[in-house]
């Protein structure tokens, strides 16, 4: 006899795990189906930056709430509130910085502009070529490697079902609910949530739903343990650089440089062509990095839709089917938006509005 | 455009390069060492002026001469740190070396990166004075230095006897040889060893020389712990059963200031994994190996392998494996037929090599030697208990264990600990090593200094892809 779950969640990333915790608190029986190990997708390999300065204006309220949740999770996820600087090295970047940060400030982020002298005092190892900078005391980071460990323990505590090494290959609607298969194994549930990150498009297609989801292949690198080089998280006006030094001395370098590969082919590959300028920029911003060794570079898939806003709500044209993903800055926002999603599935009014996947999705403007 | 890049100038890679050049191909040979020869035919340190002409030196010198006299372009003291393909399916390699040539491209790629040492931890194994068996051979060959006043040689496989006899040849003292394999394991390997009578004789000579010097050989024993205050002072031994689990018996204590300790060789597969080739697990080839046809063609087009990284068969098979990879690359590039290769020699070397490798493959009992506090990951200082806790809690893949504990995140890239972690996961779950899998392959192949892999940035040249929606 088959157990019928209240909800089956496809994907064990932050979005899937976070929603599972909320619906379980609300009394639903939930099961997470994960193709590999939980927390090894984008949620486990991202740069871990919890920075207000790189969040989208419209998503700021969600990011602020998300940030509070990370702070509560604390040591278990390696949370640190360090404050952070965003740097501009020429006039064009200074202008960009001014325009963007002013809007983010209006959206509620605690951001101020600071002089390059101030930056030089606070972060003496940074380049002296800074022409403008902004600062946010709330910025910080968490250790994304611990995502899987954290949620594994929470899921266990709450008695939520979890099947790993269960790549979903087939979904159909039956009189009993959704039947979800991986090879010859199957799970049945009254509701289904698609939270498969960069792989969600394929899953939706199994249900004959077309979604304009694309995947970016973001690159992150880490150095060996180095003497103290910075105390806060460091960003760049264009968004092309993020840096932070962990307590153990390793420096994490990101900035959204694009690797290669598609979600269906594996975990993506680092591209020399984009890794090199990424590391050059890091050394430009912090010259002493030139003597430091890179230990590992890797990539992860970050899903988005053309307007770069989340898909969070009912799956178009299907009953008892939901989707949550494509959240820009999804590591920061994930814990909060998944809580909202859980409330929505439980039939409660979410505290802040979700993002209807059936909206007209237009191409967004990039700067 | 270069036709073939060969990574690794050991006996397999250098011979592949020589043959490829012989076919008229444009060849680039890259190695991190000072010259060709690899681990086994390693050139002597330049500070050593006179050394007896052993077989390895003569063979190494001949090979180095041949490379110098060929049309092969070489890059020594140069390391490949990333491998990918460009949009026209050419290989694109990132380099770090004296030439300040940051990338290079070729039509085909032969990987001959050899093998590295496998060491399963025991309490005290990180103490100064403990050397890997293969590491000890490098020390002996390159610098002609013996590791300590009295040396204990322990572990498994044939390397034990080679190291012990080398220490003696160079005038050192060996206080004991401790072999996990029983004499019976060796007797069973005899038929396969008859494939290479000369090597068999050499092995017998090594063992005899130990008995003549009255050096105790402890068959079917293992090192229980390495003892000493700040450095090695001795080891305590225990008998083992057929799975190499310690069995109760009288305590044996051996004095010695150095311990050469290891469990055979692992194929160095990071480069082929990074290049995207398929791999499988084959214990008699030394563990995980690229999946290849008999010539060394991998699952990736234009990618070939030869030598121990394609399975530990030893130096006997290496030159022929090199010739076979060069032939395959030449035939695939030109459509012509390469020269005939005597496969009998390879077959014999393979039977011999597999038997030797089977003697070295770790057995499950070795895990029982590891105590809770024993360090598994040296780079990050992670103990068995920490790893075990994660496995018990459900982290069953190497990636998951790594993320949760940092085991394997240090500069060695997991080269030394991932074997132990996989053994632990396999032992706990009852799953095969194939099911447990490998951690994701990522660049750089070895840590690289950031300032050495790129030029300084000309800020105005920074490509700014518009990626940030406000
Ligand atoms: C390299 C990188 C750096 C980033 N840096 C930051 C940052 O610094 N700050 C920030 O806020 N955000 C950052 N992000 C964004 C953030 O990581 C993501 O928005 C967020 O983790 C997405 O979570 P998710 O649960 O939707 O996806 P994922 O974590 O990818 O989870 C999806 C899961 O679905 C599983 N799955 C896929 N297909 C199937 C199937 N067929 N069957 C079963 N399971 C399946 C996958 O295995 C995976 O575990 C970064 C992203 C990347 C890739």
């Amino acid at each position: 006899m088959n157990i019928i779950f209240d909800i089956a969640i496809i994907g064990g990333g932050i979005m899937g795990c976070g929603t599972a915790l909320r619906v379980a608190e609300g009394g639903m029986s939930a099961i997470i189906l994960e193709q590999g190990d939980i927390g090894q997708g984008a949620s486990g390999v991202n740069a871990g930056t919890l920075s207000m300065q790189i969040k989208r204006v419209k998503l700021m309220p969600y990011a602020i709430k998300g940030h509070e949740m990370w702070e509560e999770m604390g040591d278990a996820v390696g949370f640190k509130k360090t404050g952070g600087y965003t740097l501009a090295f020429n006039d064009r970047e200074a202008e960009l910085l001014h325009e963007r940060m002013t809007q983010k400030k209006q959206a509620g982020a605690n951001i101020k502009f600071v002089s390059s002298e101030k930056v030089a005092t606070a972060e003496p190892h940074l380049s002296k070529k800074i022409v403008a900078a902004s600062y946010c005391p709330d910025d910080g980071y968490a250790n994304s490697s611990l995502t899987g460990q954290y949620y594994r323990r929470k899921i266990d505590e709450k008695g939520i079902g979890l099947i790993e090494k269960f790549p979903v290959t087939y979904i159909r609607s039956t009189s009993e609910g959704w039947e979800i298969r991986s090879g010859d194994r199957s799970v049945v549930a009254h509701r289904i949530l698609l939270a498969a990150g960069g792989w969600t498009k394929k899953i939706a297609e199994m249900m004959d739903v077309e979604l304009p989801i694309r995947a970016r292949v973001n690159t992150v690198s880490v150095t060996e343990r180095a003497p103290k080089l910075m105390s806060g998280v460091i960003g760049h006006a264009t968004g092309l650089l993020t840096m932070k030094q962990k307590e153990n001395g390793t420096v994490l370098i990101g900035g959204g440089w694009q690797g290669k590969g598609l979600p269906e082919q594996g975990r993506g590959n680092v591209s020399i062509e984009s890794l090199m300028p990424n590391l050059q920029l890091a050394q430009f911003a912090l010259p002493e990095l030139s003597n430091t060794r890179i230990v590992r570079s890797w990539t992860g898939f970050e899903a988005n839709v053309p307007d770069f806003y989340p898909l969070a709500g009912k799956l178009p044209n299907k009953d008892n089917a939901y989707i949550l993903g494509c959240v820009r800055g999804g590591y920061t926002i994930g814990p909060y938006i998944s809580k909202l999603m859980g409330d929505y599935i439980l039939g409660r009014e979410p505290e802040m509005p979700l993002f209807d996947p059936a909206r007209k999705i237009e191409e967004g403007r990039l700067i | 455009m270069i036709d073939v890049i060969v990574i690794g100038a050991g006996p397999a890679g250098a011979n592949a390069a020589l043959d490829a050049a012989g076919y008229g191909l444009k060849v680039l040979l890259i190695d991190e060492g000072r010259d060709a020869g690899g681990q086994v035919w390693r050139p002597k340190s330049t500070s050593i002026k006179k050394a007896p002409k052993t077989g390895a030196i003569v063979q190494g010198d001949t090979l180095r001469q041949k490379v110098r006299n060929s049309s092969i372009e070489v890059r020594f003291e140069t390391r490949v740190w990333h491998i990918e393909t460009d949009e026209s399916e050419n290989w694109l390699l990132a380099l770090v070396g004296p030439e300040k040539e940051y990338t290079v491209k070729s039509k085909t790629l032969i990987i001959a990166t050899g093998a590295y040492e496998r060491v399963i931890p025991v309490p005290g194994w990180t103490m100064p004075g403990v050397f890997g068996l293969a590491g000890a051979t490098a020390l002996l060959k390159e610098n002609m230095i013996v590791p300590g006043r009295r040396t204990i040689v322990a572990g498994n496989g044939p390397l034990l006897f080679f190291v012990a006899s080398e220490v003696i040849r160079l005038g050192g003292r060996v206080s004991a040889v401790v072999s996990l394999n029983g004499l019976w394991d060796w007797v069973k390997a005899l038929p396969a060893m008859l494939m290479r009578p000369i090597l068999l004789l050499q092995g017998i000579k090594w063992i005899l020389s130990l008995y003549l010097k009255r050096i105790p050989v402890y068959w079917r024993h293992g090192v229980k712990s390495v003892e000493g205050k700040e450095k090695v002072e001795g080891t305590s031994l225990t008998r083992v059963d057929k799975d190499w689990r310690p069995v109760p018996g009288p305590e044996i204590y051996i004095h010695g200031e150095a311990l050469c300790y290891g469990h055979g060789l692992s194929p160095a597969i990071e480069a082929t994994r990074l290049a995207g080739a398929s791999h499988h697990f084959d214990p008699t080839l030394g563990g995980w190996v690229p999946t290849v046809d008999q010539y060394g063609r991998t699952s990736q087009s234009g990618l070939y392998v030869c030598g121990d990284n394609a399975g530990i068969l030893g130096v006997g098979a290496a030159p022929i494996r090199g010739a076979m990879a060069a032939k395959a690359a030449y035939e695939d590039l030109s459509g012509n037929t390469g020269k005939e290769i005597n496969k009998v020699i390879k077959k014999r070397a393979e039977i011999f090599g597999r038997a030797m490798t089977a003697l070295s493959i770790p057995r499950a009992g070795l895990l029982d030697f590891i105590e809770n506090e024993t360090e598994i990951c040296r780079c990050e200082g992670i103990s068995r208990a920490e790893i075990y806790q994660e496995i018990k809690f459900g982290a069953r893949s190497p990636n998951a264990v790594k993320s949760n504990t940092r085991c394997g995140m240090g500069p060695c890239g997991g080269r030394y600990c991932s074997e132990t972690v996989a053994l632990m996961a396999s032992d706990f779950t009852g799953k095969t090593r194939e099911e447990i899998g490998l951690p994701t392959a990522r660049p750089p192949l070895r840590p690289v200094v950031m300032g050495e892999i790129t030029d300084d940035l000309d800020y105005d040249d920074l490509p700014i892809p518009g990626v940030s929606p406000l």
Side-chain angles (χ1 to χ4, degrees), chain A residues 10-16 33-50 54-55 166-169 195-200 202-203 206 216-220 242 244 298-302 324-333:
Chain A
I10 302 180
I14 287 195
M15 302 302 168
L33 305 173
E34 167 55 53
Q35 66 178 350
D37 302 286
I38 60 165
Q40 288 287 326
S43 305
V45 302
N46 67 67
T49 319
L50 304 173
I54 54 177
K55 293 296 161 306
F166 191 101
V168 172
T169 48
W199 296 264
T200 304
K202 206 178 63 184
I203 312 272
M206 292 176 199
R216 284 170 52 79
V217 195
N218 295 346
T219 308
V220 184
T242 67
K244 65 196 71 76
W298 65 92
T299 56
F301 294 112
E302 185 186 26
L324 176 59
C326 301
V327 185
R328 201 173 167 83
Y331 183 67
T332 314
I333 299 173

Side-chain angles (χ1 to χ4, degrees), chain A residues 55-218:
Chain A
K55 293 296 161 306
R56 298 198 66 183
V57 172
K58 206 169 139 190
L59 297 182
M60 197 60 75
Y62 302 80
I64 292 169
K65 289 281 191 182
H67 195 283
E68 287 167 8
M69 291 177 76
W70 283 105
E71 191 158 3
E72 277 163 35
M73 294 184 242
D75 285 344
V77 292
F79 174 84
K80 289 277 173 307
K81 189 170 179 169
T82 56
Y85 292 94
T86 302
L87 315 175
F89 291 105
N90 59 30
D91 294 344
R92 181 186 162 270
E93 289 169 8
E95 206 176 300
L96 196 64
L97 185 79
H98 203 267
E99 181 200 335
R100 310 191 111 205
M101 294 305 162
T102 306
Q103 287 196 44
K104 293 183 192 202
K105 221 166 121 172
Q106 283 161 1
N110 184 8
I111 298 172
K112 56 182 183 230
F113 293 99
V114 290
S115 69
S116 26
E117 291 75 39
K118 194 116 193 232
V119 182
T121 322
E123 298 281 5
H125 299 277
L126 285 179
S127 160
K128 301 289 171 297
K129 294 176 185 152
I130 297 164
V131 301
S134 57
Y135 178 73
C136 173
D138 298 327
D139 284 1
Y141 62 83
N143 182 355
S144 70
S145 311
L146 297 177
T147 305
Q149 188 188 52
Y150 177 82
Y151 281 110
R152 191 185 289 286
R153 281 159 173 63
K154 285 284 170 200
I155 284 166
D156 190 63
E157 249 170 63
K158 298 256 152 50
I160 296 165
L162 167 67
I163 313 181
E164 290 172 291
K165 309 281 175 345
F166 191 101
V168 172
T169 48
Y170 179 84
I171 299 169
R172 69 175 183 139
S173 153
T174 70
S175 55
E176 293 186 306
W178 292 102
E179 188 199 358
I180 302 147
R181 288 197 210 152
S182 177
D184 50 15
R185 295 175 292 168
S186 80
V187 167
V188 181
H190 296 305
R191 302 173 189 78
I192 185 171
L193 169 69
L194 311 193
W199 296 264
T200 304
K201 184 182 174 66
K202 206 178 63 184
I203 312 272
E205 279 167 4
M206 292 176 199
M207 302 170 73
D208 296 317
V209 177
E210 271 302 325
L211 292 168
I213 299 178
R214 314 167 294 195
R216 284 170 52 79
V217 195
N218 295 346

Side-chain angles (χ1 to χ4, degrees), chain B residues 92-163:
Chain B
L92 169 61
L93 275 55
L95 306 180
V96 53
E99 305 280 336
K100 293 226 168 255
E101 181 187 30
Y102 302 111
T103 57
V104 37
K105 285 189 179 189
S106 69
K107 290 184 206 153
T108 63
L109 178 62
I110 298 181
I111 295 181
T113 41
Y116 53 78
E117 174 124 64
R118 180 167 45 218
V119 181
I120 308 297
V122 280
W125 74 298
T126 54
M127 215 179 293
V130 181
F131 300 83
L133 279 178
T137 59
L139 194 72
L140 294 164
K141 280 183 184 159
E142 185 164 348
N143 303 313
M144 302 182 64
I145 291 172
V146 297
R149 197 163 68 83
R150 288 168 302 181
T151 306
I152 304 162
V153 185
N156 59 12
L159 214 49
L160 277 182
F161 300 99
F162 172 68
V163 169

Side-chain angles (χ1 to χ4, degrees), chain B residues 234-280:
Chain B
T235 60
S236 65
L237 310 183
T238 170
R239 266 191 74 78
V240 297
D241 68 8
K242 63 176 191 339
D243 294 325
W244 297 351
R245 280 178 217 288
V247 294
E251 279 275 319
I252 304 167
Y253 187 87
I254 309 278
H255 291 275
E257 290 68 41
L259 169 68
C260 299
Y261 176 73
H263 303 96
L265 299 172
S266 290
I269 53 168
E270 291 80 7
T272 35
R273 294 194 66 223
L274 205 50
S278 308
H279 290 69
H280 66 280

Side-chain angles (χ1 to χ4, degrees), chain B residues 424-452:
Chain B
M424 285 172 69
S426 164
D427 190 56
F428 184 87
T429 57
K431 288 186 179 167
T432 63
R433 289 292 298 279
E434 196 109 15
E435 287 167 323
I436 297 293
L438 288 162
T440 313
R442 295 297 190 190
L445 288 168
R446 299 274 173 81
V448 285
V449 177
M450 257 190 265
E452 291 176 3

